[in-house]
Amino acid sequence: MTSITVDLKAVEMGLPMCLVFTAHGYVAHVGRTLSKITDGRPGAKLADFLRILHPAVEMDTADILTHAGRRLKVELVGECNIPEGEERSSFRAVVAPLVDGGAFMNFWFGADPLGAIQRHRLTAQDFAAADPTVDLLFVLEANSLVLGEFEGLSKRLDMARAAAEEEAITDKLTGLRNRRAMDLHLDSLTRQTGAHFGLMHLDLDYFKSINDTLGHVAGDYVLEQVAGILREEVRRGDMVARVGGDEFMLIFEDCQDVDLLKGIAKRIIYRLEQPMIWQGETCRISGSIGITMSSFYDPPEAERLVADADEALYVSKRAGRGRPSVATPSQAA
């Protein structure tokens, strides 16, 4: 047999995961890709570099070469980047004798190439151009791009859905919740055992005259100012909803104190009666308020609460406007 001398760098172009070890069982050369995977270096004992799992062999060169040309199952003793508690990567290898008594071994990934490739951050440049692993990497990259697009699309759809849901329960002019949101929230509260809350129905007094004399743009301005006042007078977590042109509903959770709500209502009315200036024109309004409490009912029903708060509101209207009225226990019986 004719022997030839081959530059290992040339060999690595086609076999970057090669290993050369001596007749005495010492590592002589580690391929460029293999060197990224393991901390083993030339000069190390072969037994400290790798372990042949199948077939069972003694870790000396002579015994290993009895299996020349055979598919070997191998693990690298010094494999890098192994998370704690995780097994080493599985490799396959084939060994061939060299004329000086040493051996040449080439490796490839076993059953889970993707895990090992990702763990060691290998790219197409780490493999021979004709290695099918390169095709696998291109497929992975393509899949990653497609997955990224799907994830981005999914996020955009989620954001669009959330925006649509928010829009469906928000009053466009004031940014407050709308009637639908109020109905859903009130229905939810009445279904909760032991929930205590107060309901306040506000109707703006003298608002129609602003629309009639100054126009709807002025009216919209006043409604926006009213929304700001109501936001400032409730606690975080209480709901303020615009349920009609100049009507608002306020729901106060975890509240059993009707006197507290009467005080809040008087404060709201006081602030509403302060002059609002729009383009040099003075806008004057007030508010009539009806109040009821969930504790008046056993059990509370959403429709009845709304009806009684509405009735209390009209008690305020008939009494001269600009005041709060409370649905009495006899009304709520």
Side-chain angles (χ1 to χ4, degrees):
M1 179 185 298
T2 302
S3 62
I4 59 173
T5 301
V6 179
D7 186 346
L8 285 174
K9 289 185 178 180
V11 172
E12 284 193 14
M13 292 181 63
L15 303 171
M17 291 179 64
C18 65
L19 174 72
V20 178
F21 53 95
T22 69
H24 300 292
Y26 287 90
V27 174
H29 176 81
V30 182
R32 56 184 173 83
T33 301
L34 200 61
S35 66
K36 294 180 66 172
I37 296 172
T38 177
D39 58 11
R41 293 293 180 264
K45 288 185 178 180
L46 184 63
D48 294 334
F49 189 91
L50 62 85
R51 183 179 298 111
I52 298 177
L53 304 179
H54 183 80
V57 297
E58 296 292 333
M59 289 304 297
D60 66 78
T61 304
D63 195 28
I64 293 172
L65 284 174
T66 61
H67 300 282
R70 183 175 176 181
R71 181 188 179 96
L72 308 175
K73 183 177 181 181
V74 178
E75 70 176 15
L76 300 174
V77 176
E79 185 182 359
C80 305
N81 305 321
I82 302 294
E84 186 176 351
E86 190 170 315
E87 295 182 357
R88 294 184 177 89
S89 303
S90 176
F91 292 89
R92 300 294 182 267
V94 63
V95 64
L98 298 176
V99 294
D100 62 357
F104 179 93
M105 183 177 283
N106 189 49
F107 293 78
W108 64 95
F109 290 107
D112 182 24
L114 300 185
I117 289 170
Q118 292 170 346
R119 176 185 299 161
H120 298 292
R121 300 178 182 178
L122 302 180
T123 67
Q125 284 70 38
D126 294 309
F127 298 91
D131 192 323
T133 307
V134 174
D135 296 327
L136 178 61
L137 287 171
F138 286 141
V139 171
L140 279 176
E141 184 175 358
N143 285 345
S144 178
L145 290 173
V146 172
L147 182 60
E149 285 296 321
F150 275 118
E151 288 177 348
L153 177 60
S154 178
K155 288 180 180 178
R156 291 193 292 274
L157 288 174
D158 288 343
M159 292 173 62
R161 186 182 300 109
E165 291 173 353
E166 181 70 14
E167 184 177 359
I169 59 174
T170 301
D171 177 62
K172 292 182 179 179
L173 175 63
T174 63
L176 299 175
R177 290 301 187 227
N178 59 19
R179 183 63 186 248
R180 179 172 181 267
M182 191 280 297
D183 287 339
L184 290 171
H185 188 49
L186 186 59
D187 184 64
S188 173
L189 287 174
T190 57
R191 293 174 184 273
Q192 296 176 24
T193 303
H196 298 287
F197 58 92
L199 179 65
M200 189 181 291
H201 188 182
L202 163 67
D203 184 79
L204 300 182
D205 299 323
Y206 317 116
F207 177 75
K208 184 175 183 298
S209 65
I210 294 174
N211 275 339
D212 291 345
T213 59
L214 299 178
H216 288 286
V217 176
D220 288 349
Y221 169 79
V222 170
L223 289 173
E224 290 172 343
Q225 299 307 300
V226 171
I229 290 170
L230 296 180
R231 285 193 188 95
E232 292 171 2
E233 294 298 335
V234 301
R235 305 163 302 172
R236 183 184 299 274
D238 294 332
M239 175 177 281
V240 182
R242 183 186 177 204
V243 296
D246 59 352
E247 293 183 64
F248 301 83
M249 284 277 193
L250 295 82
I251 301 176
F252 298 83
E253 293 190 56
D254 299 321
C255 179
Q256 302 184 67
D257 189 344
V258 69
D259 290 330
L260 173 65
L261 291 197
K262 287 167 66 177
I264 293 173
K266 290 177 181 178
R267 192 162 63 242
I268 288 172
I269 292 169
Y270 172 78
R271 294 190 62 186
L272 292 178
E273 290 179 344
Q274 305 308 303
M276 299 178 188
I277 308 301
W278 178 79
Q279 294 187 357
E281 300 287 345
T282 300
C283 303
R284 293 185 179 274
I285 60 170
S286 185
S288 296
I289 294 176
I291 299 170
T292 193
M293 309 293 293
S294 63
S295 56
F296 294 171
Y297 307 83
D298 187 19
E301 297 177 353
E303 289 186 9
R304 185 63 187 277
L305 276 127
V306 171
D308 287 347
D310 187 62
E311 177 60 31
L313 165 65
Y314 281 95
V315 169
S316 297
K317 291 280 191 183
R318 291 191 291 268
R321 305 182 183 183
R323 67 194 67 200
S325 298
V326 178
T328 64
S330 60
Q331 285 177 290

